[in-house]
Amino acid sequence: MPKLAPVTDLIETLKLLADPTRLAIFNLLMQGVQCNCELGDQLGLPMNLISHHLKALRDAGWVNAERDANDARWVYYAINPRALNQLREQLSAFLDPQRIKPRQPKCGPRVDAAASTRVAQRERVGK
Amino acid sequence: MPKLAPVTDLIETLKLLADPTRLAIFNLLMQGVQCNCELGDQLGLPMNLISHHLKALRDAGWVNAERDANDARWVYYAINPRALNQLREQLSAFLDPQRIKPRQPKCGPRVDAAASTRVAQRERVGK
DNA sequence: AATATAATTCAATAGAGATTGAATTATCTC
DNA sequence: GAGATAATTCAATCTCTATTGAATTATATT
């Protein structure tokens, strides 16, 4: 079991987003409120499949569901704006270029006096 | 085949990032240059697996590889800063809250005169 | 109450890709 | 050149989960 602790939160986020169908649904919701059947029509997919992915998005708290006030058979889905912001911040923090620091790899020949000596020796020998 | 065209680029990006092992590798590289064996040690994973994921990251242009100048057996891996910025921008654009527009779902009972009428009628009938 | 509609749930299948182990390549040291 | 070391490549397996089809739930209409 590898040491993945530092990224366990993020991986859940990314796995959720990384499915083509689910991402396409999410993308349509980013254009505004939609109902299940409308999503299915636009993507050419059956309702139960849409439902399945919407459940995953709801369980994660990314999407809110609301029944039609006049006819409760219809359910409208919308992006949860708070969750969207958290998502943005989570990714932005992870990908922050400032995180990259100058660094000496711990393995490999040391780039120090010893190494310089070795190089010098090799060059002499090579001649 | 669903209409996923709008997200085909992004899905490649996300699939690449959404694997726990690969993300852990990426995360270590975000801390600075590392060689294969060092990554394997820290994650407790075999070199060939590390290699496999590094290849995927290199193929995508996210990671650069450079051989040690003194001993070419060692290869050092580092995040490609340009690619990192593109990645950030791609995700940031997709998740931009500004994209969400007010919208009437096209299905469901119309929230218009007809609907109001229906509601009014139902209420009368219900009584 | 009976029928129709929107959506969800459930069980089974199928497919993608991560992991594993072995073989191979490239480079260095002696 | 022979042996050692870092890394990669290859083929086979295993696992996870998206998809599919059928059954079920919830609500509305007549």
Side-chain angles (χ1 to χ4, degrees):
Chain A
M1 209 175 304
K3 298 163 188 169
L4 307 174
V7 296
T8 42
D9 282 356
L10 187 54
I11 202 64
E12 292 309 310
T13 298
L14 289 168
K15 279 204 281 193
L16 202 57
L17 219 45
D19 175 76
T21 304
R22 200 156 46 229
L23 187 66
I25 292 171
F26 191 94
N27 185 44
L28 287 178
L29 293 180
M30 283 297 289
Q31 296 165 19
V33 179
Q34 317 253 354
C35 67
N36 185 323
C37 59
E38 199 171 4
L39 293 167
D41 285 349
Q42 287 176 88
L43 298 175
L45 296 171
M47 283 177 71
N48 62 349
L49 185 54
I50 304 287
S51 229
H52 170 253
H53 288 298
L54 281 171
K55 176 168 169 50
L57 293 170
R58 267 190 299 142
D59 287 350
W62 293 9
V63 164
N64 294 327
E66 190 187 1
R67 287 191 177 270
D68 187 294
N70 295 325
D71 186 337
R73 284 174 298 183
W74 273 272
V75 181
Y76 303 118
Y77 295 96
I79 300 288
N80 176 345
R82 277 174 187 274
L84 181 62
N85 265 331
Q86 287 177 356
L87 188 50
R88 287 167 57 81
E89 282 167 18
Q90 187 183 24
L91 288 169
S92 177
F94 180 76
L95 298 173
D96 182 359
Q98 305 264 11
R99 288 181 62 206
I100 304 178
K101 301 294 181 191
R103 178 172 190 283
Q104 281 299 338
K106 298 215 177 79
C107 52
R110 291 287 165 284
V111 182
D112 54 15
S116 311
T117 304
R118 276 201 301 280
V119 171
Q121 285 175 341
R122 178 162 49 248
E123 279 170 353
R124 261 185 270 127
V125 170
K127 260 292 160 193
Chain B
M1 208 175 305
K3 297 163 187 169
L4 306 174
V7 296
T8 42
D9 282 357
L10 188 54
I11 202 65
E12 293 309 310
T13 298
L14 289 168
K15 279 205 280 193
L16 203 56
L17 220 44
D19 174 76
T21 304
R22 201 155 46 229
L23 186 67
I25 292 171
F26 191 94
N27 186 45
L28 287 178
L29 293 180
M30 283 296 289
Q31 296 165 18
V33 178
Q34 316 253 356
C35 66
N36 185 323
C37 58
E38 201 172 4
L39 294 166
D41 285 350
Q42 286 176 89
L43 298 174
L45 295 172
M47 284 177 71
N48 61 349
L49 185 55
I50 303 287
S51 229
H52 170 254
H53 288 299
L54 281 172
K55 176 169 170 48
L57 293 170
R58 265 190 300 142
D59 286 351
W62 293 9
V63 163
N64 293 329
E66 189 187 1
R67 288 191 176 269
D68 187 293
N70 294 326
D71 186 338
R73 285 174 298 182
W74 273 272
V75 181
Y76 303 118
Y77 295 96
I79 300 287
N80 176 345
R82 277 174 187 275
L84 181 61
N85 265 330
Q86 287 178 356
L87 188 49
R88 288 167 57 81
E89 281 167 18
Q90 187 183 24
L91 289 170
S92 177
F94 180 77
L95 298 174
D96 182 0
Q98 305 263 12
R99 289 182 60 206
I100 304 179
K101 302 293 183 193
R103 178 172 190 283
Q104 281 298 337
K106 298 213 176 79
C107 51
R110 289 289 164 285
V111 182
D112 54 15
S116 313
T117 304
R118 275 202 301 279
V119 171
Q121 286 176 339
R122 176 164 49 249
E123 279 168 355
R124 262 184 271 127
V125 170
K127 261 292 160 194

